[in-house]
Amino acid sequence: MSTYTGIMVAGTEVESYRNHHSIWFFRQGDRIRENCRRDEYGNFTKDSFIGYRATAASIRRRMTLSGIDMPACEKDFCDYLQTVTDELRDKITFYERDILQSDQSTSVRERVASFTRVFRLILEAVKDTRLVDWIAAFPVAARLQKVQERYSLNETYWAEVSSSPLVNAMLSEFEIHTEFPCLGYFNFPGNDPRFFQFAFLCACPDDAVCELNIAPLIDSGYEEDFRDLEEIKDEETYPHRSCYASVQEITQLSDSQAANPSLQRMCYASIITAMEAYLGDILKREIFSRPSAKQLFVSSYEPFRKQKLILSELYTRLAGIDAEIKDALDGLSLHKIETARNIFSSTLLTEFPATSLPFLGAAVKCRHDIVHRNGKDTAGKPLQLNVHTVDELARQVLAFTRAVDAQILDGLLHEQEADEPQVER
């Protein structure tokens, strides 16, 4: 089943999408995630908004910078208005000469006469108009469109809803056939919807809201949620939330049998595993979601630096680069603090807090003894671990992962605030 959404400007749709969306002239910093509640079926409620929102003034400026400005819009409008009026005249001539004067049935001639009347009214309403006339008429047409009587799809009719012939023409329904589409929203003459959108924006106040809500597409599985916005709001990434939950469960398990040394060893080692899982998950996510991070990893990871590339193999290697990166990441031992520190520093520009490193280094060594020596050190002496040792490790690990996570979130925040590159015409 198809899911539809569209770009709304001052409450009027100016572009429609089915099962997908385009970022249009929005930018990363325009993303909004609000009122995201779920109903009893697990779907977002009607007032949920996940999408983009900006002012008409901002969008007009971005369009102008991309080449969609008033002179370009004026030229495009004039060219296509001529095409529309020529086609209308041709249709009227054809109907009057070849249909109305023929021996067609009365019902056919009556229907064609009705079409001809509509085409004449449209022609008279638009033939001598200027772009400024359309811009001035848009607010009235947009208001009347919301209360206009709905007709059958593809029905030809003249909308007698205003004292302005141009407004009526904007809200009428008719078809003309040229080599390319030549009518947009509100029957605006043109083949590029951006020129209509620019003209419509010129009719709006600077603070008019432009927005695109993709929550329906997310519900239908066509688009991904803006989870980073939720992470910024909650001040915690999803991987860290999972790490925190795991550490909490482990400490609760440790507390439940404080006198069980085997359980305490297992819990101690599991906390280091939770830390390693967080580091691996956040590293993979950032590398595969940010081209700049991927580039930094490939250029700084020592095993990759040692590989030679034959030019004839370039495209083959590029096609398989993600698989190579994944294999490399899967093979990392991120509980080795120095290894992890170097990769996070060079790839994500994220520094490990210096105060945590001595403690974690000793804890990782202890974990190695638990896993590989059954809880004894190299001299064969049993490790002295108890519930308090486990609690202290949990505290230290969470302090460390929070410090790392804060830097990841800071990167997400800067990314959200950054403008996208200018759209090229």
Side-chain angles (χ1 to χ4, degrees):
M1 184 175 179
S2 295
T3 302
Y4 295 86
T5 191
I7 295 169
M8 309 296 291
V9 174
T12 297
E13 185 176 85
V14 299
E15 187 155 313
S16 177
Y17 304 114
R18 185 183 75 170
N19 300 343
H20 80 290
H21 80 280
S22 166
I23 196 171
W24 193 53
F25 289 91
F26 294 116
R27 295 183 182 168
Q28 193 79 347
D30 298 328
R31 293 183 304 153
I32 300 289
R33 195 178 190 278
E34 63 185 18
N35 302 324
C36 295
R37 295 181 292 272
R38 300 273 186 175
D39 60 22
E40 63 271 26
Y41 304 106
N43 297 320
F44 288 116
T45 55
K46 289 184 178 180
D47 61 342
S48 297
F49 187 94
I50 303 173
Y52 302 85
R53 188 177 291 150
T55 64
S58 294
I59 299 296
R60 277 199 308 267
R61 178 179 179 274
R62 295 169 192 173
M63 296 184 83
T64 298
L65 291 172
S66 73
I68 308 297
D69 56 11
M70 187 58 76
C73 189
E74 184 88 49
K75 181 181 184 307
D76 191 80
F77 168 83
C78 292
D79 291 345
Y80 278 93
L81 179 62
Q82 188 63 52
T83 299
V84 170
T85 55
D86 288 347
E87 180 62 21
L88 286 169
R89 290 188 179 95
D90 288 345
K91 261 191 178 302
I92 293 168
T93 299
F94 170 75
Y95 283 152
E96 290 181 339
R97 183 190 64 207
D98 296 340
I99 303 296
L100 296 179
Q101 302 302 320
S102 68
D103 57 357
Q104 295 283 346
S105 66
T106 301
S107 62
V108 169
R109 282 187 281 117
E110 287 177 349
R111 184 158 56 91
V112 170
S114 175
F115 291 170
T116 304
R117 172 182 172 275
V118 171
F119 290 134
R120 282 195 173 280
L121 289 169
I122 298 289
L123 178 62
E124 289 302 312
V126 305
K127 65 179 183 180
D128 295 321
T129 57
R130 300 166 300 163
L131 178 59
V132 292
D133 299 325
W134 288 72
I135 292 174
F138 277 141
V140 178
R143 176 175 55 81
L144 291 175
Q145 184 189 58
K146 293 177 175 61
V147 297
Q148 183 182 14
E149 179 184 353
R150 301 301 177 190
Y151 292 81
S152 301
L153 187 65
N154 297 328
E155 181 179 350
T156 299
Y157 63 87
W158 170 255
E160 195 75 55
V161 293
S162 170
S163 59
S164 166
L166 179 56
V167 170
N168 290 334
M170 287 180 172
L171 299 176
S172 296
E173 182 67 32
F174 64 99
E175 284 188 358
I176 56 176
H177 303 283
T178 59
E179 295 179 3
F180 37 77
C182 59
L183 291 173
Y185 281 74
F186 292 101
N187 294 319
F188 186 78
N191 189 36
D192 187 336
R194 296 176 300 173
F195 288 115
F196 156 71
Q197 292 156 4
F198 181 83
F200 191 85
L201 283 162
C202 288
C204 299
D206 287 350
D207 60 354
V209 175
C210 306
E211 61 184 15
L212 169 63
N213 188 0
I214 65 169
L217 298 178
I218 295 170
D219 261 344
S220 299
Y222 293 112
E223 300 286 357
E224 292 293 326
D225 198 346
F226 294 162
R227 294 196 180 277
D228 58 318
L229 297 184
E230 185 177 2
E231 290 179 339
I232 292 169
K233 178 175 178 256
D234 294 342
E235 299 183 343
E236 184 177 35
T237 67
Y238 280 91
H240 191 270
R241 189 178 303 174
S242 176
C243 174
Y244 178 83
S246 295
V247 171
Q248 292 296 102
E249 290 172 0
I250 293 167
T251 54
Q252 289 170 10
L253 180 61
S254 170
D255 292 340
S256 70
Q257 298 183 45
N260 186 334
S262 296
L263 180 64
Q264 300 310 317
R265 290 196 298 270
M266 184 189 73
C267 291
Y268 193 98
S270 295
I271 290 174
I272 298 297
T273 301
M275 177 188 75
E276 181 181 18
Y278 163 72
L279 294 175
D281 289 345
I282 203 69
L283 182 63
K284 286 179 185 176
R285 189 187 82 169
E286 295 302 291
I287 285 175
F288 285 111
S289 64
R290 295 188 183 189
S292 58
K294 183 187 294 186
Q295 182 179 345
L296 285 171
F297 177 73
V298 171
S299 62
S300 63
Y301 185 52
E302 191 61 29
F304 285 174
R305 290 168 61 88
K306 293 178 180 178
Q307 294 184 27
K308 293 183 178 180
L309 177 64
I310 300 173
L311 190 58
S312 61
E313 298 175 351
L314 175 63
Y315 290 102
T316 302
R317 293 293 298 278
L318 283 175
I321 188 64
D322 282 355
E324 287 195 52
I325 293 172
K326 182 179 182 300
D327 289 343
L329 293 172
D330 288 341
L332 291 175
S333 296
L334 292 176
H335 60 267
K336 296 180 179 178
I337 297 300
E338 191 61 24
T339 299
R341 185 184 71 82
N342 290 335
I343 292 176
F344 270 72
S345 178
S346 60
T347 300
L348 304 184
L349 307 182
T350 296
E351 302 299 330
F352 288 0
T355 54
S356 296
L357 298 183
F359 181 91
L360 292 179
V364 168
K365 183 178 181 300
C366 185
R367 183 251 196 192
H368 184 272
D369 290 340
I370 293 171
V371 173
H372 298 287
R373 295 192 178 92
N374 195 29
K376 298 178 181 179
D377 62 19
T378 54
K381 183 180 178 180
L383 300 173
Q384 299 301 310
L385 300 177
N386 55 45
V387 66
H388 302 296
T389 313
V390 172
D391 284 343
E392 177 61 15
L393 176 63
R395 188 185 70 80
Q396 292 276 0
V397 163
L398 288 179
F400 165 73
T401 55
R402 285 194 189 100
V404 172
D405 211 53
Q407 295 176 71
I408 300 297
L409 286 169
D410 184 66
L412 294 178
L413 184 61
H414 285 302
E415 186 178 73
Q416 180 198 4
E417 293 171 346
D419 282 345
E420 298 259 326
Q422 296 294 337
V423 179
E424 293 184 3
R425 186 182 170 192

